[in-house]
């Protein structure tokens, strides 16, 4: 739970996981206007985070929490991209 922020290159990410099971996800690339999605979230005992965005689908990520840091690996990423490294705000 909480407010999390990450940066990769010129992109920024903000994720809020509220106690009531709702989330917001903001993404901005460079000076582009941020995009935001909202929905509901849950995490299982294996650390798999599911964020359901209504009719827009589900985003799945393997998460590893290390204190106030969270490594976020997109499930289905066949490129082997490094995780987004979120920090709790």
């Amino acid at each position: 739970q909480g407010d999390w922020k990450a940066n990769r290159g010129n992109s920024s990410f903000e994720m809020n996981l509220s106690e009531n099971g709702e989330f917001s996800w903001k993404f901005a690339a460079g000076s582009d206007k941020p995009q935001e999605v909202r929905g509901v979230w849950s995490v299982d005992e294996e650390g798999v985070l599911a964020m359901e965005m209504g009719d827009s689908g589900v985003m799945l990520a393997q998460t590893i929490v290390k204190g106030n840091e969270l490594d976020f690996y997109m499930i289905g990423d066949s490129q082997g991209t490094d995780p987004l490294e979120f920090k709790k705000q």
Side-chain angles (χ1 to χ4, degrees), residues 41-77:
W41 71 277
S42 66
V43 66
D44 70 12
E45 64 279 349
E46 305 275 326
V48 175
L49 174 64
M51 295 187 287
E52 183 178 349
M53 301 165 281
D55 293 339
S56 299
V58 177
M59 181 168 33
L60 297 173
Q62 177 67 55
T63 60
I64 301 169
V65 178
K66 301 180 264 181
N68 287 333
E69 297 181 357
L70 180 145
D71 287 349
F72 185 98
Y73 296 86
M74 290 295 297
I75 292 179
D77 176 5

Side-chain angles (χ1 to χ4, degrees), residues 10 16-17 20 25 36 38 45 47-48 57 64-65 67-68 74-75 79 82 84 86:
N10 68 344
N16 172 271
L17 303 174
N20 69 0
W25 173 274
E36 182 175 8
R38 294 178 174 273
E45 64 279 349
V48 175
I64 301 169
V65 178
N68 287 333
M74 290 295 297
I75 292 179
Q79 304 298 314
D82 289 337
L84 283 172
F86 281 91

